[in-house]
Each structure stands twice: as structure tokens, then as C-alpha cells.
Amino acid sequence: MAPGDDPDVVFDLLPKPYRYVAEVIEEVLEALGDQINEIERKRRLEEYEVSLPMVGPSVSQALEDEVSCVASNPDDSNLMALGTLLGQILVFDGMDDYLRHTTPFRNEAVCSLTMIHSGAYCLHPNPEQEELHTVPQDKLVVAGTASFNIYIYDIRHEFKGL
């Protein structure tokens, strides 16, 4: 190698058996690269796309207005609640396949819905000892945009009717 040559572009010649192995490896890698390019080209073609079958809804409910917020319970993935701009709340349970609704706010958007599975709420300032140790199941906390009320629903009793 001459003193002015760039070492990154100059390759030492390997002995004959190693050169042959290097050539074979180079040919295999080049053929593999060509195959990969062909697969990538096919993947971009329209006929390669697979269309998904259309499925209808299991339950549907007409809404009075647009959906303003959505909540689901991280502890129970079957429950989902929707709030609308006109104050309607819809609760859907995918396991039992039911849909219930109520309207706590008239002409006021539901701005916040939260589902809680493991929270306890005391209903008065000086709770009894038993009330402190009760953990209600599946609560829905709802707030509107204009009123000063926050509603807490027991989903099991008020929406499922149990």
C-alpha cells in the first residue's frame, strides 16, 4: 500500500482459497439482496393487499349528538362508556352484550368520564365503620362542562339493574 492511499478503499488480496470463499459469499449475499428487493416490490403492489371482511355491529344505539368523551375500565375490559355533547351517557358491556343509557345533564356536554373498579366512596362526612371497609365495584364518575355536579354511578346497580 502506497503512503497516500486511503486504507478504507484499499483491500489486501487474500490467498486464493480465501478469495474464492469471499467471492461465493458475495454472490450468495447479492442473490439474497435481489430476492429481498423482489419481495419488497411485490409487497407494494395493489393485488398483494388483502381486504378484510366487513362485519356489522353487535349492538347499536342512536345518539342524540356527537360523542364528547369515552372511558373504559382497565380492570374490566368488557365495559365501555360514552358521553355526548348533549349530556347523554351510554354504557356498553361486551360480555353481556347490553347497552344502557342515562342523561344526567340536559343540553350540557359530558366532558369527563372515568371508570373505577377499586375505589371506595363515603356518602356522608362521618361514615360508619362498615362503610369505610366497603369497596364498591365498577363505578362511573361523570362531570359536565357547566354544572357544579359530579355524578358517581354504580354501574352494576344503576346500569345493569342488579
Side-chain angles (χ1 to χ4, degrees):
M1 183 164 76
D5 290 341
D6 185 1
D8 291 332
V9 294
V10 175
F11 296 99
D12 290 329
L13 288 178
L14 295 171
K16 188 170 184 167
Y18 297 110
R19 272 186 290 179
Y20 179 72
V21 170
E23 287 174 12
V24 169
I25 291 174
E26 187 68 33
E27 287 175 13
V28 168
L29 291 177
E30 195 170 299
L32 184 62
D34 291 343
Q35 288 177 356
I36 290 172
N37 289 337
E38 181 64 21
I39 291 170
E40 289 295 323
R41 185 188 66 76
K42 285 181 181 177
R43 286 180 66 196
R44 287 189 285 270
L45 296 176
E46 190 172 321
E47 64 262 9
Y48 187 79
E49 295 293 324
V50 177
S51 59
L52 296 174
M54 295 295 289
V55 268
S58 56
V59 176
S60 68
Q61 170 72 39
L63 301 176
E64 295 173 8
D65 201 13
E66 296 177 29
V67 172
S68 58
C69 54
V70 177
S72 64
N73 190 344
D75 297 327
D76 182 0
S77 60
N78 297 322
L79 291 174
M80 182 180 76
L82 305 171
T84 69
L85 292 176
L86 291 178
Q88 187 180 22
I89 299 170
L90 293 99
V91 176
F92 175 70
D93 183 347
M95 182 69 91
D96 298 333
D97 216 22
Y98 79 85
L99 181 67
R100 304 282 189 270
H101 72 278
T102 186
T103 309
F105 306 106
R106 279 280 170 214
N107 298 322
E108 175 184 346
V110 175
C111 69
S112 176
L113 287 173
T114 304
M115 285 190 163
I116 301 169
H117 182 72
S118 58
Y121 299 95
C122 299
L123 302 177
H124 43 80
N126 298 317
E128 309 245 341
Q129 204 57 18
E130 304 87 46
E131 190 178 358
L132 286 174
H133 297 293
T134 6
V135 179
Q137 302 295 315
D138 298 329
K139 294 293 184 181
L140 178 64
V141 181
V142 181
T145 53
S147 70
F148 297 107
N149 294 326
I150 294 177
Y151 295 101
I152 300 173
Y153 292 96
D154 185 335
I155 294 173
R156 186 169 174 79
H157 290 99
E158 296 173 36
F159 287 100
K160 289 186 178 182
L162 301 175

